[in-house]
Amino acid sequence: MQYYLDGFRGGNPDIKNAAPERRDRTQFAPLPEKVDVLIVGCGPAGLCLAAQLSQFPEIKTMIIERKPGPIEKGQADGVNTRTMEMFQAFGFGEKVKRESYWVNQTTFWTPHPENPAHIRRIGRVQDVADDSSEMPHTLINQARVHELFLDVARKSPSRLEPDYGWALRDLTVDTTTDEHPVTVTLENTGINAGETAVLRANYVVGCDGARSNVRKAIGGELHGDASHQAWGVMDILANTDFPDVRQKCLIASAQEGNVLILPREGGYLFRMYVELDKLNPDERVASRNFTADHMIAAANRIMRPYTIDVKEVVWWSIYEIGHRMTDRFDDVPDGDTEGRTPRVFTAGDACHTHSPKAGQGMNVSMQDTFNLGWKLAHVFQGRTDASLLHSYSAERWVEAKRLVDTDHEWARIMSAPPGESELDGLDMPRFQKQFIENLEFTGGLAVRYDQSMLVGAPIHQALATGEEIGRRFHSAPVVRVSDAMQMQLGHVAEADGRWRIYAFAGRNDGSSPGSAIHRLADWLETDANSPVLKYTKPDEDIDALFDVRAVFQQTFEDLAYEEMPTLLKPTKGTLGLQDHEKVFCVDHKGAGDIFEMRGIDRARGCMIVVRPDQYIAHVLPLDGYDELARFFDAFLLRANDT
């Protein structure tokens, strides 16, 4: 963590210097008349976007929430490994690791063949496959996730805080102007309920849930189906003789339905998803008047011979599984992408809904806006044309479709009684087999963006077979050369809107001048065709847009740090201080060899280009200068043209 770049300052290093132009309003001050980005909804998607945009004080960001304040309990609880990697970039991954429950094993229970009224354990599965991620799969209260994002935003240069008690009533987009073209009508839901206010925005992002007014305002509809199956969810403090209560459990009974148990943070709390009654096609779950007592009774029937003695119901809800999504995630009509760029976006439940049992809702919602945030920042900073924003819907719609389809199949298999599924009679129960097959998906690691302006062709993929273009950058252990610090290479990437270029040295490439790493660094620093020179503004640090790092195969003792190229030891900040954290080597203490673990060509080395949202944009040879230049020329604007 670096925090003395612009001079010494005491206190909490997470509190960044406030920007002079920060929006400093009291709780009851009038709303602004104009903003750059209006975020509607303080759920996971909205707060993830707010936390990212808050790092750019030049962007006037506002986030509103119809509720009177932050949530305190309930709702989602699962944080998959991909999201934990993202949390690390925001700076609170370690906090979540410390506070959360880690899902290490998942156990499976089915009817006992000799006494079908009772259940028995029939298998265990390691929940996170070895080396699938350096981060764990965790469970933690969604309210705590919200709090952590809020903390990032309020400690940012923007000092961003939500405006609670406001809901979006309607919006219109004026396609004839580029100057704050979205007119928004807000309605007060708090002390002055019913009062309205009008403001104008350059962009609006609807993170306002399945009943999204933002989606409705741009003509979006959720299409899909419902399972007509009632489920209950409750967070409880209870005693039980069930032996696996502190492990994630999938339980299928013979006649009474299914239960999913998820232990929670704090050592005592756990969550239960409980299958209730089948609904008629024209029936809504609210008409049944289910209560927490219904859930407790059903859970005790399903889990025989074990019992649950509930001491406190912390939170509970009843829901019906539905699988729906919109046809697009922005306001541009089909066939009109050449004529206009998006001004209004939807994210999270506003554009895709599904069952909660695969643990993807909160995770995918945050990944939606992590994808969008850096693109909005690039546009506002003048680094790219607004047409880049078309890529948000193009990339995230495909992933949402994958989510809905996979979750639909998972929900169908979970709810089918034993003996009524085509997967029955195999070596293992249908839901255990499905769980194992979907581990990459449930970990958030199956996302793969297709070749596009932002994702290069896999011409040189053989240079790094374990770092697939279009997938997230898969971290591995390294040692920082300057101070022999053992660490994960992926953890150098912060949610700061910068591109990463990781240069992996070939076998014979050391720190001596004239090596391939030296030649690459010199070209990036001095050649007129270099992206660093073309797209970094004159008043910016040399790594303001491109964070270049090098990884060598030798140990730090065999490298001459004083001979490293100047690009890897740049001076920057108001004091012109030298950065000593750009050079790494293989871990020599047994944690793992990054070249071997990620299939990096030892003889030739390579460059791995990583997007600001941690997805791999390209794999290139160390001397692939022209290909690197052409890739960024396709969408970035020269600094002297902005």
Side-chain angles (χ1 to χ4, degrees):
M1 185 177 182
Q2 296 180 324
Y3 46 88
Y4 291 144
L5 177 61
D6 295 315
F8 179 85
R9 58 186 179 89
N12 185 348
D14 286 328
I15 302 177
K16 299 181 179 179
N17 290 329
E21 62 270 29
R22 71 185 185 277
R23 185 164 69 92
D24 191 6
R25 296 192 301 110
T26 62
Q27 181 180 0
F28 300 105
L31 298 179
E33 295 180 357
K34 295 181 180 180
V35 297
D36 288 323
V37 180
L38 173 66
I39 305 168
V40 183
C42 282
L47 290 175
C48 179
L49 181 59
Q52 180 155 48
L53 293 183
S54 71
Q55 307 308 309
F56 305 95
E58 65 271 27
I59 303 174
K60 296 179 180 178
T61 303
M62 179 181 181
I63 181 168
I64 62 170
E65 168 57 49
R66 66 181 304 117
K67 297 185 179 70
I71 66 170
E72 296 181 358
K73 57 187 178 182
Q75 302 186 42
D77 63 351
V79 180
N80 66 28
T81 53
R82 171 69 197 109
T83 300
M84 286 294 294
E85 294 170 0
M86 184 189 73
F87 284 176
Q88 187 69 29
F90 277 100
F92 56 80
E94 296 303 317
K95 289 182 182 178
V96 175
K97 286 169 68 174
R98 175 179 176 269
E99 297 178 16
S100 63
Y101 170 85
W102 292 24
V103 185
N104 300 306
Q105 295 282 326
T106 296
T107 66
F108 302 88
W109 292 71
T110 60
H112 197 292
E114 297 176 3
N115 184 1
H118 289 182
I119 59 171
R120 61 160 185 172
R121 185 195 304 115
I122 50 86
R124 304 179 193 267
V125 173
Q126 183 174 314
D127 190 83
V128 177
D130 291 341
D131 195 35
S132 62
S133 174
E134 79 281 8
M135 302 299 280
H137 173 194
T138 64
L139 297 171
I140 192 170
N141 186 0
Q142 180 178 325
R144 180 58 175 145
V145 173
H146 288 196
E147 185 179 4
L148 291 166
F149 275 126
L150 287 166
D151 195 50
V152 170
R154 69 171 62 100
K155 292 176 179 177
S156 73
S158 302
R159 298 295 193 267
L160 179 61
E161 296 267 7
D163 285 285
Y164 293 104
W166 289 96
L168 182 140
R169 177 190 286 181
D170 199 6
L171 65 81
T172 58
V173 181
D174 183 354
T175 59
T176 66
T177 182
D178 290 329
E179 180 61 31
H180 297 88
V182 189
T183 300
V184 177
T185 302
L186 303 181
E187 181 176 356
N188 191 286
T189 60
I191 297 175
N192 300 313
E195 173 189 333
T196 61
V198 176
L199 61 81
R200 293 173 61 192
N202 281 312
Y203 296 96
V204 173
V205 185
C207 306
D208 48 342
R211 296 182 177 88
S212 170
N213 281 342
V214 175
R215 185 190 68 243
K216 295 173 185 175
I218 61 174
E221 295 183 12
L222 290 174
H223 302 282
D225 59 18
S227 68
H228 307 298
Q229 176 65 57
W231 282 78
V233 55
M234 55 182 175
D235 290 331
I236 56 177
L237 295 167
N239 290 329
T240 178
D241 56 352
F242 181 67
D244 291 350
V245 70
R246 294 307 297 171
Q247 296 187 48
K248 179 179 175 181
C249 299
L250 282 75
I251 304 168
S253 70
Q255 301 293 332
E256 301 293 343
N258 303 289
V259 160
L260 173 64
I261 293 179
L262 296 172
R264 292 285 300 276
E265 70 280 6
Y268 300 94
L269 186 71
F270 62 97
R271 171 168 291 192
M272 298 187 75
Y273 288 96
V274 183
E275 188 173 12
L276 299 172
D277 294 345
K278 194 75 175 174
L279 302 175
N280 297 318
D282 58 347
E283 188 178 20
R284 298 302 301 270
V285 70
S287 66
R288 290 295 188 93
N289 297 317
F290 289 114
T291 67
D293 289 337
H294 287 103
M295 278 187 279
I296 295 169
N300 275 296
R301 292 194 301 270
I302 293 168
M303 296 178 65
R304 289 174 181 152
Y306 306 103
T307 60
I308 297 175
D309 178 18
V310 177
K311 303 297 184 181
E312 179 183 349
V313 178
V314 177
W315 173 83
W316 66 277
S317 182
I318 304 291
Y319 65 93
E320 179 186 359
I321 294 174
H323 301 90
R324 300 180 176 90
M325 62 181 293
T326 59
D327 52 1
R328 65 183 188 275
F329 291 5
D330 60 44
D331 64 313
V332 179
D334 292 340
D336 201 14
T337 56
E338 296 294 328
R340 57 186 280 196
T341 56
R343 289 290 179 173
V344 182
F345 306 89
T346 54
D349 287 354
C351 45
H352 48 76
T353 63
H354 42 86
S355 83
K357 292 189 295 301
Q360 296 305 298
M362 178 168 66
N363 293 279
V364 175
S365 296
M366 290 183 286
Q367 295 296 335
D368 283 348
T369 51
F370 196 40
N371 178 290
L372 177 61
W374 68 270
K375 297 172 182 178
L376 285 169
H378 269 23
V379 170
F380 278 106
Q381 291 176 321
R383 301 195 188 279
T384 185
D385 184 80
S387 61
L388 178 77
L389 299 175
H390 286 302
S391 67
Y392 167 69
S393 183
E395 291 185 335
R396 294 307 297 171
W397 189 91
V398 172
E399 293 308 319
K401 183 67 165 58
R402 186 206 310 269
L403 163 66
V404 169
D405 289 347
T406 304
D407 185 72
H408 190 284
E409 178 68 8
W410 175 242
R412 184 184 68 83
I413 289 173
M414 270 291 291
S415 295
E420 296 183 16
S421 167
E422 69 274 14
L423 296 180
D424 284 324
L426 299 177
D427 294 340
M428 63 179 66
R430 63 194 183 282
F431 62 104
Q432 183 178 353
K433 183 176 187 295
Q434 184 80 357
F435 180 86
I436 294 171
E437 291 176 350
N438 284 337
L439 277 176
E440 185 182 51
F441 168 79
T442 54
L445 307 176
V447 174
R448 183 184 179 278
Y449 295 135
D450 294 333
Q451 184 178 335
S452 68
M453 177 174 59
L454 296 173
V455 179
I459 298 171
H460 304 289
Q461 184 66 74
L463 294 175
T465 57
E467 298 286 5
E468 186 178 352
I469 297 171
R471 291 185 182 266
R472 102 323 184 172
F473 178 74
H474 193 176
S475 184
V478 291
V479 169
R480 195 163 57 205
V481 171
S482 63
D483 59 358
M485 174 74 174
Q486 283 186 288
M487 59 182 295
Q488 285 283 333
L489 181 61
H491 293 186
V492 306
E494 299 178 5
D496 55 12
R498 291 193 293 169
W499 291 77
R500 267 78 199 180
I501 299 177
Y502 298 114
F504 290 87
R507 181 181 293 111
N508 299 320
D509 195 351
S511 52
S512 301
S515 67
I517 292 291
H518 264 274
R519 293 194 299 272
L520 171 62
D522 292 343
W523 179 81
L524 287 170
E525 191 173 17
T526 63
D527 194 282
N529 203 32
S530 161
V532 173
L533 290 190
K534 281 191 287 189
Y535 306 119
T536 304
K537 299 175 183 179
D539 60 343
E540 292 180 322
D541 289 331
I542 196 169
D543 64 352
L545 180 58
F546 298 100
D547 179 15
V548 182
R549 313 265 178 160
V551 185
F552 292 89
Q553 297 187 40
Q554 301 90 334
T555 65
F556 71 93
E557 298 145 309
D558 295 325
L559 295 166
Y561 185 71
E562 66 275 12
E563 295 180 351
M564 292 295 170
T566 55
L567 183 68
L568 298 178
K569 298 185 295 184
T571 55
K572 57 189 191 180
T574 57
L575 300 179
L577 297 177
Q578 193 171 50
D579 187 338
H580 293 285
E581 300 189 356
K582 303 278 193 183
V583 184
F584 304 86
C585 63
V586 294
D587 188 295
H588 61 289
K589 294 187 176 180
D593 183 327
I594 189 170
F595 285 81
E596 179 180 339
M597 294 171 71
R598 302 295 169 253
I600 296 169
D601 190 305
R602 286 193 175 276
R604 294 178 291 172
C606 69
M607 279 188 282
I608 299 179
V609 181
V610 181
R611 303 179 351 168
D613 57 1
Q614 301 175 317
Y615 283 84
I616 298 171
H618 226 327
V619 173
L620 295 170
L622 286 175
D623 61 356
Y625 310 147
D626 291 342
E627 290 171 283
L628 183 68
R630 284 196 301 271
F631 175 74
F632 286 109
D633 286 345
F635 59 91
L636 291 182
L637 300 174
R638 286 179 179 269
N640 55 13
D641 293 338
T642 61

